[in-house]
Amino acid sequence: MKLLIASDIHGSAYYCGKLMGILEQFQPDKLLLLGDLLYHGPRNDLPRDYAPKQVIEMLSRHKDIIVAVRGNCEAEVDQMVLPFPCMADCARLEVDGVLHYLAHGHHESPDDLPKLPEGSVLLSGHTHVKMDEVRQGIRCLNPGSVSIPKDGSHSCMTYEDGIYSVVLLED
C-alpha cells in the first residue's frame, strides 16, 4: 500500500497545491490527513495564500482516498464543508500488517502515547516538526507541517514498501 501523510495545512492554498502535486506524482492508495486542515488558529500567523475554500476544493477531489482526524483547529463547520469525515479524534489503519494509529497530537502524542501493541506506528502532527523516533516500542512519525513549519521546511511524508520518506514542499 502507498500512503501520502500530511498534517497542518492550515488553509494554505499554495502549500495544499504543492501537496496535491505530490499526490498526483506519487498516486497513493490513501491520503492520511492528521488535522488542522482549514483554519490557521489563533496562535499562528496567516499562512501563504490563506484560502480555505480553495483547500476544500482541492481536498474534496480526493475524498474517496482520504482518512482524516480532527486537529485542535477543526470546528463543526469544517465537517459541514468537507465531504469526508474529519472530526474523529483518532483512526486505526492496518498497513502491510502493521497497525497505524492516526492522531493530531494535541492529546495523544509521542509524549503521551496511546495504548498500542509494540511494533505499531503512531502518526501525529500538531508540533509542526518532523519526527521519526521509537518510543516504548512504538514508531512515532510526524510529517511536519504542510504550511507553517516550525523546523524550517514545509513537508509531508510518503510510505511505500515499508519505507517512510519525508518529502519537502519547498519552491
Side-chain angles (χ1 to χ4, degrees):
M1 181 176 286
K2 290 170 63 171
L3 306 174
L4 180 57
I5 306 158
S7 189
D8 299 284
I9 298 169
H10 287 291
S12 170
Y14 179 81
Y15 284 106
C16 188
K18 294 260 190 196
L19 179 66
M20 294 298 101
I22 300 299
L23 186 142
E24 293 302 320
Q25 288 177 339
F26 186 61
Q27 293 291 305
D29 298 297
K30 297 280 182 199
L31 171 56
L32 307 183
L33 298 175
L34 305 177
D36 287 359
L37 305 179
L38 302 177
Y39 179 53
H40 63 91
R43 295 182 295 183
N44 298 311
D45 291 331
L46 283 174
R48 181 173 178 178
D49 294 343
Y50 180 68
K53 288 182 181 179
Q54 290 177 30
V55 172
I56 292 165
E57 192 177 304
M58 285 184 258
L59 294 178
S60 294
R61 290 184 209 129
H62 304 285
K63 66 183 179 184
D64 294 334
I65 65 166
I66 290 176
V67 176
V69 295
R70 178 180 65 87
N72 58 302
C73 291
E74 256 75 54
E76 288 182 27
V77 69
D78 296 347
Q79 188 60 81
M80 292 176 189
V81 297
L82 290 169
F84 53 86
C86 68
M87 295 302 286
D89 288 329
C90 64
R92 292 173 181 257
L93 183 66
E94 188 167 315
V95 179
D96 298 335
V98 176
L99 174 63
H100 286 64
Y101 187 92
L102 288 62
H104 180 61
H106 62 301
H107 294 299
E108 297 170 310
S109 70
D111 294 327
D112 188 15
L113 288 169
K115 292 189 185 309
L116 297 171
E118 190 169 320
S120 298
V121 173
L122 170 66
L123 297 172
S124 64
H126 184 60
T127 63
H128 299 217
V129 176
K130 293 175 273 307
M131 171 190 260
D132 184 352
E133 293 180 15
V134 176
R135 295 191 179 178
Q136 300 175 27
I138 308 299
R139 188 165 184 189
C140 300
L141 296 166
N142 186 324
S145 175
V146 169
S147 71
I148 308 172
K150 298 202 167 138
D151 61 1
S153 57
H154 303 265
S155 60
C156 62
M157 189 174 276
T158 59
Y159 168 87
E160 184 175 17
D161 297 327
I163 298 170
Y164 301 90
S165 302
V166 170
V167 178
L168 299 182
L169 302 174
E170 302 304 321
D171 294 325

